Amino acid sequence: MPNQEPLVFSSADFRSAMRNVPGAVSIVTTGQRPGRHGLTLTAGCSLSTEPSRVLVCVNKSAGAHDTIEQGAAFCWNILAAEHASLAKSFAGQDGSKGDMRFADGLWRELATGSPVLADAICAFDCRVCDSYDAGSHTIFIGEVVAQATSADREPLVYVQGEFTVPRR
Ligand SMILES: Cc1cc2nc3c(=O)[nH]c(=O)nc-3n(C[C@H](O)[C@H](O)[C@H](O)COP(=O)(O)O)c2cc1C
């Protein structure tokens, strides 16, 4: 049941608090050339190991949303420190859209045909096994059908409005 008590903070307060929460930066990709789509995403995590599942929260207005839904597949690419400019591009900060965003980076495919970033820290190629309507977003549950790792690299993190690398 939603809380009926009046809120003592605004959505701007919530947004401001959330700026302090570090997020692992990823790119969720879907579709096949020339209809590839992708977006920068921090609302993703591991869901279970048996079976191997992840979840990603995708805004319904995102270019990739309907292709994930219709194709029932996506790849969750976890970014390294050197991928900051790719993260900005896939967040639309350079004005690029759709397939144009794949001009930079080395892209390949695994099982589903969704674009896999060759030098991602990890890439989880998924078939959508469930999805949930969450207002502005859809929560897609992905069953991992193939994966690639290139570990021992610095992860890219987003905190206080900046792409950064965690301090050791
Ligand atoms: C650091 C960062 C994290 C983001 N996380 C998400 C996210 O978890 N889910 C989401 O739907 N959009 C997220 N976005 C916004 C999308 O990347 C952005 O709206 C993108 O332009 C959508 O793709 P489109 O231009 O093809 O619609 C994030 C943006 C940034 C910069």
Side-chain angles (χ1 to χ4, degrees):
M1 274 288 280
N3 189 352
Q4 300 298 312
E5 289 169 33
L7 296 177
V8 292
F9 62 94
S10 67
S11 56
D13 293 334
F14 176 70
R15 184 189 294 262
S16 166
M18 285 301 295
R19 280 175 56 82
N20 299 296
V21 179
V25 183
S26 65
I27 293 176
V28 167
T29 56
T30 189
Q32 277 93 51
R33 197 190 299 249
R36 293 174 294 184
H37 288 279
L39 74 154
T40 297
L41 179 138
T42 49
C45 64
S46 162
L47 175 64
S48 63
T49 49
E50 291 180 22
S52 304
R53 287 184 178 164
V54 301
L55 70 82
V56 294
C57 306
V58 179
N59 197 303
K60 291 174 185 169
S61 70
H65 182 274
D66 293 357
T67 305
I68 296 175
E69 203 161 59
Q70 285 152 20
F74 65 85
C75 184
W76 186 38
N77 299 277
I78 308 301
L79 300 190
E82 60 266 32
H83 293 134
S85 77
L86 216 48
K88 288 177 189 162
S89 170
F90 278 81
Q93 291 179 7
D94 62 357
S96 65
K97 282 271 166 204
D99 212 90
M100 288 164 60
R101 291 183 182 159
F102 295 86
D104 286 333
L106 185 59
W107 299 94
R108 60 188 185 109
E109 292 161 21
L110 285 171
T112 71
S114 303
V116 175
L117 181 62
D119 62 347
I121 289 186
C122 311
F124 300 99
D125 194 22
C126 299
R127 293 205 193 283
V128 174
C129 57
D130 230 328
S131 65
Y132 297 91
D133 185 339
S136 57
H137 286 59
T138 299
I139 303 170
F140 291 108
I141 311 293
E143 179 117 13
V144 180
V145 292
Q147 65 175 44
T149 55
S150 172
D152 290 335
R153 318 250 305 289
E154 299 286 352
L156 185 63
V157 168
Y158 191 75
V159 67
Q160 289 173 348
E162 304 223 346
F163 293 99
T164 182
V165 175
R167 276 184 231 132
R168 298 245 175 210

